[in-house]
Amino acid sequence: MHTARALRTAALTFTALVLLAALPLTAQAHRANIFAYTEGDTIRIEASFSGGKPVLRAPVEVYDAASGALLLTTQTDDQGLGAFPVPQAARDARADLRLVLLAGEGHRGEWVVKAGEYLADAQGPGPAADTTPTAAATAPATAAGAAPALMDEAALRRIVAETVSHELAPLRRSLAAMAEPGPTVHDVLSGIGYILGLFGIAAWMHGRKARR
């Protein structure tokens, strides 16, 4: 009798321990991923769960990464995608943006957009060349021809920046996916312990039923 009671106590203790150890595994499963890239004055979002399923209609909070101030809140669409304009406050402060995806039921993901990414896309042309005329007769022609050249250069820079950002987005997404942490040894052992704990509960219930 004492032996059976000791076994039951040991089984319950073991079950409690493995269930506590399995809590990190549960937290690991509650992970969502968010990826963002700039396209001109717009930041585009892609959100998915660890298995690749898109996160639908989930709120995304955008913070100033340095101060922690909430700048705006947006939402993913029916394909797990979203977009929002770069906040003027962030642009003025040249601040990095921290995006927080809230997918519900403990699912959460974060991504940081560096200020250099969206500022680079919005940069205009460099300093204008000195157009001081060398002779009074050439001044009108120089002034008339400089403005269209500067406008064309600004438009070209913007187009090139947007194209490069768009083309690099898949590569950034792949690198972000490769950088995601996988299950650790502790997670694997916790999972095994969880299963053994369930067996312990089943054995205890079976023994209790047999004594009746």
Side-chain angles (χ1 to χ4, degrees), residues 12-25:
L12 288 174
T13 303
F14 177 75
T15 300
L17 290 175
V18 297
L19 288 175
L20 288 174
L23 290 177
L25 183 63

Side-chain angles (χ1 to χ4, degrees), residues 70-86:
L70 178 64
L71 301 177
L72 62 87
T73 300
T74 184
Q75 181 174 294
T76 61
D77 60 16
D78 291 339
Q79 296 180 327
L81 307 176
F84 62 90
V86 177

Side-chain angles (χ1 to χ4, degrees), residues 24-153:
L25 183 63
T26 303
Q28 178 77 8
H30 286 183
R31 188 178 72 236
N33 304 314
I34 180 171
F35 168 74
Y37 63 95
T38 61
E39 193 174 84
D41 293 329
T42 301
I43 295 179
R44 301 199 175 275
I45 302 169
E46 298 180 11
S48 62
F49 293 110
S50 298
K53 182 179 178 181
V55 182
L56 312 181
R57 298 178 294 279
V60 177
E61 298 175 342
V62 181
Y63 295 88
D64 182 319
S67 68
L70 178 64
L71 301 177
L72 62 87
T73 300
T74 184
Q75 181 174 294
T76 61
D77 60 16
D78 291 339
Q79 296 180 327
L81 307 176
F84 62 90
V86 177
Q88 188 60 45
R91 190 183 298 281
D92 294 341
R94 306 179 69 87
D96 296 343
L97 300 177
R98 182 168 65 92
L99 281 59
V100 180
L101 170 68
L102 304 174
E105 299 182 0
H107 298 77
R108 179 187 177 96
E110 294 191 14
W111 185 271
V112 175
V113 177
K114 297 293 185 180
E117 296 181 34
Y118 64 77
L119 290 175
D121 280 358
Q123 277 182 351
D130 185 7
T131 57
T132 303
T134 55
T138 61
T142 302
L150 290 176
M151 291 178 60
D152 291 343
E153 183 181 355

